[in-house]
Amino acid sequence: RNLLQYDMLQEYMEKKITAKGGIAKHPIKYAAIHSRWLEGSCERRVGDKLPKDECWMSPEYIKEILGDTIDHPIVLIGDGQNEEVLRRLRSDKVIGPHLIVPEELPRIRAIDNREQPVSDMVVGINADIFIGTRVSTMALMVGMIRVILGADPVSNYIYVHRDKKPLISLPEGDIPRSPTQTLSVCKECLFLCNISKSDICGHESLYA
C-alpha cells in the first residue's frame, strides 16, 4: 500500500508537469524535505555548536542546497508539528510553486494515516535529493537505505556543515571581506558519525 501511495505521488507530479507544458519522464525526479520538529526538541538535540537550519528547513537553507533555479518537484514529508515550516516554504517565490505535501492530496489523504511514516520513508528513499536532520532516526535510516541502494552519499543532506572558503589576497587598499561559507555533506557520518566527525553529530545524535 505504501508503494501505492508513492505511485499516486508520481502520477500527481506527472500531471502537474504536463499541465505546464513540460515532458514527464518516469520516474519523475524530485527532492524530498524531511521536516522533523520532534515535539519541540529538535534544536536542543542538534545542540549549540551547529546551526538549526535542519530543524526549520527555511527557504534560504533549501535554496542553498537546490539553488535559486528549481525545475523539479519538492516533496515535503515529516511530522508536521511546526506549521511555520510549511508556511515559509509555500510562501517562497522560488520553492512554493514546486512544493508538494502528499497528505494534502485527496487520494493519499483517504488512506489510513497510521501508514504515513512508512510512506514517508518510501518517498525519501526514492528521491533524487534527500534533505533531513541528523537527530531523526527515520532520516538516518532513509539515508542509509539510499546509500545501500546505490545513491550518492552526497545526495543525502543530513550531516551538513559549513566550510569557510579561504580569504583571497586583495589588492592594497581594498576593503577586506568576511570569508564566505559553503555547504558540505559528511559522506561517512551516516555510519561513523560518533567516531569520525563527532563535532557535527549533534548534541543528541541518536535516536528520535
Side-chain angles (χ1 to χ4, degrees), residues 29-48:
K29 292 186 176 182
Y30 63 93
I33 301 172
H34 183 234
S35 172
R36 296 299 304 276
W37 194 237
L38 300 168
E39 289 73 40
S41 69
C42 182
E43 293 182 301
R44 176 181 60 78
R45 295 188 188 199
V46 169
D48 297 331

Side-chain angles (χ1 to χ4, degrees), residues 1 17-19 37 50 52 64 73 76 87 93 96 98 102 109 122 127 142 155-156 162 169 175 177 179 189 204:
R1 185 178 294 185
I17 291 171
T18 54
W37 194 237
L50 295 164
K52 307 303 184 293
E64 274 191 90
L76 179 66
R87 188 192 69 78
K93 293 181 180 179
H98 303 279
R109 191 169 59 232
V122 173
V142 167
S155 69
N156 286 320
R162 283 187 166 83
S169 297
I175 300 173
R177 295 188 296 268
C189 285
E204 294 182 21

Side-chain angles (χ1 to χ4, degrees), residues 66-98:
L66 301 180
D68 289 324
T69 303
I70 297 173
D71 58 0
H72 51 74
I74 302 171
V75 182
L76 179 66
I77 55 178
D79 56 26
Q81 294 175 2
N82 187 349
E83 295 180 1
E84 187 68 11
V85 171
L86 174 57
R87 188 192 69 78
R88 290 180 180 179
L89 291 173
R90 184 163 277 160
S91 299
D92 187 83
K93 293 181 180 179
V94 174
I95 296 172
H98 303 279

Side-chain angles (χ1 to χ4, degrees), residues 6-35:
Y6 171 73
D7 290 341
M8 290 177 181
L9 178 62
Q10 282 282 326
E11 182 181 330
Y12 175 80
M13 291 190 292
E14 179 183 0
K15 289 180 179 178
K16 191 170 183 178
I17 291 171
T18 54
K20 294 180 179 179
I23 299 174
K25 296 181 180 179
H26 290 280
I28 307 297
K29 292 186 176 182
Y30 63 93
I33 301 172
H34 183 234
S35 172

Side-chain angles (χ1 to χ4, degrees), residues 94-109:
V94 174
I95 296 172
H98 303 279
L99 191 68
I100 298 171
V101 183
E103 288 70 38
E104 293 181 351
L105 306 182
R107 291 180 65 194
I108 293 179
R109 191 169 59 232

Side-chain angles (χ1 to χ4, degrees), residues 162-168 170 175-182:
R162 283 187 166 83
D163 295 321
K164 288 185 179 180
K165 291 182 179 178
L167 284 173
I168 301 172
L170 300 174
I175 300 173
R177 295 188 296 268
S178 299
T180 57
Q181 295 182 329
T182 57

Side-chain angles (χ1 to χ4, degrees), residues 87-208:
R87 188 192 69 78
R88 290 180 180 179
L89 291 173
R90 184 163 277 160
S91 299
D92 187 83
K93 293 181 180 179
V94 174
I95 296 172
H98 303 279
L99 191 68
I100 298 171
V101 183
E103 288 70 38
E104 293 181 351
L105 306 182
R107 291 180 65 194
I108 293 179
R109 191 169 59 232
I111 297 175
D112 191 339
N113 62 10
R114 289 176 296 182
E115 298 186 9
Q116 180 191 340
V118 180
S119 178
D120 285 353
M121 286 190 70
V122 173
V123 171
I125 290 167
N126 287 282
D128 289 86
I129 296 174
F130 178 72
I131 306 170
T133 170
R134 72 199 79 205
V135 293
S136 165
T137 302
M138 182 181 290
L140 302 186
M141 289 176 63
V142 167
M144 289 178 183
I145 294 171
R146 285 168 50 78
V147 172
I148 291 169
L149 293 177
D152 187 339
V154 176
S155 69
N156 286 320
Y157 286 84
I158 301 172
Y159 288 102
V160 178
H161 57 103
R162 283 187 166 83
D163 295 321
K164 288 185 179 180
K165 291 182 179 178
L167 284 173
I168 301 172
S169 297
L170 300 174
E172 187 176 350
D174 275 14
I175 300 173
R177 295 188 296 268
S178 299
T180 57
Q181 295 182 329
T182 57
L183 288 180
S184 297
V185 175
C186 175
K187 295 188 289 185
E188 72 271 19
C189 285
L190 274 172
F191 301 92
L192 299 169
C193 189
N194 290 322
I195 299 173
S196 65
K197 298 280 186 180
S198 59
D199 56 320
I200 64 171
C201 288
H203 179 62
E204 294 182 21
S205 54
L206 301 176
Y207 283 108

